[in-house]
Amino acid sequence: MDKTSVFFGKIIVAQIVAFFISTYLIQNVFVGPIPEIRPDFKEEVKSLPQTIPQIIIDNVKKIPEMIEKTPEIVQRKPQNGIRLPPPWVPAPSSIPPESGPNPTNPPQQPPPQQPTVTPIQQPDTRPSPTPLFRLPTAFQRPTSIPTRPQIPTPTQTSSRQVPPPQGDVSLEQGMLNEINRRRREEGIHELTINQQLTAAARRHSADMGSKKFCDHKGSDNSLPPDRVRDAGYSGGFRGEDVGCGFRTAVAVVDGWWQSPGHHAVLVDRSARYIGLGWSNNYQTAVTGN
């Protein structure tokens, strides 16, 4: 029995002993509306040294069985810093209504418009006032003033030009190989690496690794669709998985595969392309079609 099993065994024994002692005191020591010690309590206390060891022995025999039923995550040493935020998937698009007349709900006719009556304006027959003096024709102000030519200003584009960050190519390739291997085992076509999706994934992994956070929302408030659009990807965005603190490509893919939500993103049959980013043990996978 290793040190971990002994440690958890001691904790279980201490909890069992505390439970039995508290239950015994509540049920057998304190009686009546006003708690008071029973007169025969002294006799039972004298017998405790013989009964408690037997209870402990009986429960110690059950420790191996209890440890065997303990989940594997409790038996192994906890890995600090590993996190798996929920996957990011786009909301389902709304279905447009069908065109054409509907026999059950015929279109309503608009109410008839009332004719509008425009009053007839009488012409103004009053003589115009005569000016007191007139300027000479030579000093008449020109009717049109020439305007200065406008210098065209360059138009600004709404998309931000983000330089593509660098990633750990070997680990990214390892993730791709592991994802495609598991997709083949489930009878799904392989995913092809896409440079634009890879740039979006590397950008987010580098952001998380430098700022030490673990989330789909970037430090600049960018979301997965924003990063995909900024990278120049014109296809459909399918989803994003994020991992934080994993040390190997197999470990992060295994963590995604064991989570139903992350697994659904990686086995999406509509996805054709994938982008992978690995920076400072922060991982991002973006899929598209």
Side-chain angles (χ1 to χ4, degrees):
M1 189 178 296
D2 56 0
K3 295 182 180 179
T4 305
S5 301
V6 174
F7 174 73
F8 284 108
K10 292 180 180 179
I11 294 178
I12 294 173
V13 170
Q15 292 179 343
I16 293 174
V17 172
F19 171 76
F20 278 105
I21 292 177
S22 59
T23 304
Y24 180 83
L25 293 175
I26 293 174
Q27 294 181 354
N28 301 304
V29 177
F30 302 108
V31 295
I34 300 177
E36 58 181 4
I37 299 177
R38 290 173 29 227
D40 57 343
F41 178 68
K42 293 182 179 180
E43 299 297 331
E44 295 184 0
V45 171
K46 292 180 181 180
S47 63
L48 286 179
Q50 291 79 25
T51 57
I52 290 180
Q54 186 62 36
I55 295 174
I56 295 176
I57 292 174
D58 294 340
N59 287 278
V60 167
K61 293 179 180 179
K62 299 179 181 179
I63 289 178
E65 181 182 357
M66 299 173 68
I67 293 178
E68 183 179 357
K69 295 180 180 180
T70 305
E72 183 182 356
I73 192 173
V74 178
Q75 295 185 28
R76 68 189 182 203
K77 183 179 180 181
Q79 301 178 11
N80 298 327
I82 291 181
R83 292 184 57 192
L84 278 178
W88 180 285
V89 292
S93 58
S94 58
I95 302 175
E98 296 181 358
S99 59
N102 190 348
T104 57
N105 296 321
Q108 299 180 358
Q109 297 294 333
Q113 298 181 357
Q114 298 294 334
T116 56
V117 179
T118 304
I120 301 175
Q121 297 182 358
Q122 298 294 333
D124 191 3
T125 58
R126 293 176 299 176
S128 58
T130 304
L132 297 179
F133 61 93
R134 294 180 179 272
L135 291 175
T137 306
F139 298 97
Q140 291 284 342
R141 179 173 297 181
T143 56
S144 61
I145 301 175
T147 58
R148 299 177 60 184
Q150 299 291 333
I151 301 176
T153 58
T155 58
Q156 297 180 353
T157 58
S158 58
S159 61
R160 296 169 294 177
Q161 299 296 330
V162 181
Q166 298 296 324
D168 195 317
V169 179
S170 60
L171 290 172
E172 292 171 355
Q173 184 64 39
M175 287 194 295
L176 177 64
N177 296 339
E178 187 67 18
I179 291 172
N180 282 333
R181 182 186 68 81
R182 301 189 184 208
R183 284 176 66 95
R184 289 194 304 268
E185 291 178 353
E186 299 191 17
I188 310 174
H189 60 271
E190 297 184 5
L191 296 175
T192 304
I193 200 71
N194 179 271
Q195 296 301 325
Q196 286 80 19
L197 294 179
T198 298
R202 286 178 175 177
R203 167 187 170 185
H204 190 54
S205 294
D207 187 22
M208 291 190 298
S210 60
K211 303 297 191 303
K212 302 302 179 184
F213 69 93
C214 190
D215 195 5
H216 290 279
K217 187 175 183 179
S219 61
D220 56 351
N221 295 325
S222 64
L223 296 177
D226 304 328
R227 296 187 288 269
V228 170
R229 183 181 62 252
D230 294 342
Y233 183 71
S234 58
F237 168 70
R238 299 300 302 174
E240 180 182 270
D241 284 349
V242 166
C244 306
F246 291 92
R247 301 291 179 178
T248 63
V250 176
V252 63
V253 176
D254 189 54
W256 286 336
W257 227 259
Q258 293 179 5
S259 171
H262 298 82
H263 176 260
V265 173
L266 297 178
V267 298
D268 184 7
R269 294 181 180 271
S270 300
R272 291 290 181 272
Y273 307 102
I274 190 171
L276 297 167
W278 187 301
S279 178
N280 198 15
N281 291 330
Y282 285 79
Q283 303 84 18
T284 305
V286 185
T287 59
N289 56 8

